[in-house]
Amino acid sequence: MKAFNQHPDQAFRARELHELLGMPTGEATVNLTRSRLGRLTCQGFLTQPGRGRYQKRT
């Protein structure tokens, strides 16, 4: 959520978030992040402006 708070108007892909935060970009870790982003979207914290892109709900 830190990256979304710093860039509230920007939509990110899971891999872009990993690169921005300096996290490993291996497929397994990126898939885990995609799953977490999906849960945050279902809970109403994020929106999906496009396929595979996530943005903070305003």
Side-chain angles (χ1 to χ4, degrees):
M1 289 302 299
K2 181 180 178 179
F4 290 107
N5 288 331
Q6 291 176 348
H7 308 281
D9 296 331
Q10 186 173 352
F12 293 100
R13 293 190 177 280
R15 189 170 305 277
E16 293 170 348
L17 281 174
H18 274 249
E19 291 170 359
L20 179 70
L21 298 173
M23 298 169 65
T25 56
E27 194 61 33
T29 57
V30 173
N31 283 337
L32 181 63
T33 299
R34 281 188 190 106
S35 176
R36 289 178 180 159
L37 292 170
R39 283 193 298 265
L40 288 170
T41 301
C42 288
Q43 293 172 351
F45 293 105
L46 302 176
T47 61
Q48 260 189 306
R51 185 170 183 229
R53 302 191 67 76
Y54 300 90
Q55 186 174 14
K56 185 176 179 181
R57 184 177 295 269
T58 55

